[in-house]
Amino acid sequence: MNELRIGICDDEPLITKQLSALIKKVLEDFDFLYKIGFFYSGEVLLREAENLDIVFLDIVMPNIDGIEVGRQIRRRNSECKIIIASGKTERFKEAFQICAFRFITKPFDEEEIRETIQAYSNEKLEMKTINLYRNRNLYKVLQSDIWYICAYDSYTEYFVENKKFRQTYSLNQLEEILDQNCFYRACRQYIVNLYWIQDYKNGIINMGICQISVSRRKRKEFEKNI
C-alpha cells in the first residue's frame, strides 16, 4: 500500500501540532499508511510540494500567503489535494481560484477533518479498478461500482448493477486488493460494498434483490462500520 503524504503549513507551531493530532486521530479509522510533514512557511512547503498528496494550508502567512502558495502547488503538482485551513472565512472565495479540495476553519473540528479525509478516500476509491471477466472478455471495473462479491469453489463472482463478472481471486486475496474503507467480508462466502447497502436489520444485509447474512461472530464489528 502506498504511503499517504500529508503536509501541514502554518506559521504557528502550536496550530500545526493541534491539527496534526486531530488528523492522526481521524486516520485511525482509515486504511492509510501515512506520513505528516510540518512546514512553517510557504517557501519551505513549495520545496516539497511535488512529493505531497494532501496539504492543509493556512491563508495568512509571512512573505507568501496561502492562496499564492496554493497556486504554485497547483502548477507543480496538480494531483495534490489542497485543503484551506484558516480562520479567514471572508477569503475562502479566493480558494476557488486554486481549486481547493476542501475548507476547514479554525478552531479545528474533528468531524470536519473526518469529512475531508473521507472525501479524499472516496475519490481515491472512484479511481481504483480491478480486472474482471465477462463472457471471456477482460474489463477494468471501478471498485466503487461493485455491489457485492460471492465466492465459489474455483472463482469469485462480482455483481455490478445488473451485470455479473468473474475472476479467480479468493476472498482472502480480495481482502488485500479491495479498499478496506468500503468493502467488508460479511461471512465466509460474501464481501459487500458498504456504500451499496440498502438496508440492514437483525444480521441481514439487503442489497436490492439479494439478501446476505452477516456471520454471528462478525455482527458487532460489522455494525460499527455501517
Side-chain angles (χ1 to χ4, degrees):
M1 181 184 300
N2 293 332
E3 184 176 66
L4 179 62
R5 299 157 300 178
I6 301 171
I8 300 175
C9 186
D10 195 298
D11 60 329
E12 298 184 45
L14 180 60
I15 295 296
T16 62
K17 184 177 180 180
Q18 291 172 343
L19 182 52
S20 174
L22 286 172
I23 293 170
K24 288 178 180 178
K25 184 177 180 181
V26 167
L27 284 172
E28 290 177 359
D29 297 329
F30 290 83
D31 185 37
F32 288 126
L33 299 176
Y34 66 90
K35 181 179 181 180
I36 299 177
F38 302 114
F39 305 91
Y40 302 107
S41 72
E43 295 94 329
V44 176
L45 171 64
L46 288 171
R47 295 173 197 162
E48 295 294 326
E50 294 179 8
N51 301 317
L52 296 172
D53 300 303
I54 298 176
V55 170
F56 289 83
L57 181 61
D58 191 16
I59 292 178
V60 179
M61 293 186 294
N63 300 325
I64 310 177
D65 78 353
I67 299 300
E68 178 57 30
V69 172
R71 188 175 288 111
Q72 293 191 38
I73 290 173
R74 183 64 58 227
R75 294 192 195 111
R76 301 179 187 199
N77 181 1
S78 61
E79 297 300 316
C80 181
K81 300 300 181 186
I82 300 172
I83 293 104
I84 296 297
S86 173
K88 297 292 182 179
T89 55
E90 69 275 10
R91 296 192 63 189
F92 276 4
K93 287 185 178 179
E94 296 177 58
F96 287 108
Q97 301 170 12
I98 59 172
C99 301
F101 182 65
R102 283 292 187 279
F103 316 99
I104 62 174
T105 56
K106 298 177 181 177
F108 300 122
D109 177 75
E110 180 181 330
E111 287 308 309
E112 198 169 27
I113 295 169
R114 185 179 303 280
E115 190 276 334
T116 297
I117 299 297
Q118 184 65 67
Y120 176 83
S121 176
N122 291 349
E123 185 167 298
K124 296 299 287 185
L125 173 63
E126 288 173 2
M127 295 186 293
K128 288 183 179 179
T129 62
I130 184 171
N131 291 331
L132 303 178
Y133 288 91
R134 186 168 186 262
N135 298 327
R136 298 186 178 180
N137 294 314
L138 178 64
Y139 295 85
K140 282 189 175 293
V141 176
L142 291 171
Q143 288 191 22
S144 57
D145 287 343
I146 298 171
W147 291 17
Y148 61 94
I149 302 161
C150 183
Y152 296 93
D153 289 339
S154 58
Y155 67 94
T156 40
E157 198 164 55
Y158 303 73
F159 294 81
V160 181
E161 295 184 0
N162 60 343
K163 298 177 181 177
K164 294 181 183 180
F165 295 82
R166 290 190 178 189
Q167 226 339 332
T168 56
Y169 296 125
S170 68
L171 292 191
N172 289 338
Q173 289 174 312
L174 286 170
E175 285 183 289
E176 298 295 323
I177 295 169
L178 297 173
D179 190 304
Q180 294 181 26
N181 293 313
C182 304
F183 290 92
Y184 189 87
R185 187 166 181 176
C187 58
R188 293 184 64 182
Q189 191 178 8
Y190 285 94
I191 288 178
V192 298
N193 186 334
L194 299 174
Y195 289 97
W196 286 104
I197 293 175
Q198 295 184 3
D199 187 38
Y200 171 77
K201 187 176 181 180
N202 298 327
I204 303 297
I205 300 169
N206 183 355
M207 302 292 292
I209 62 172
C210 178
Q211 291 187 328
I212 298 168
S213 296
V214 181
S215 65
R216 289 187 178 276
R217 65 182 182 85
K218 287 195 169 189
R219 286 186 187 179
K220 287 186 178 180
E221 181 185 42
F222 174 76
E223 289 166 5
K224 292 179 182 178
N225 285 274
I226 59 172

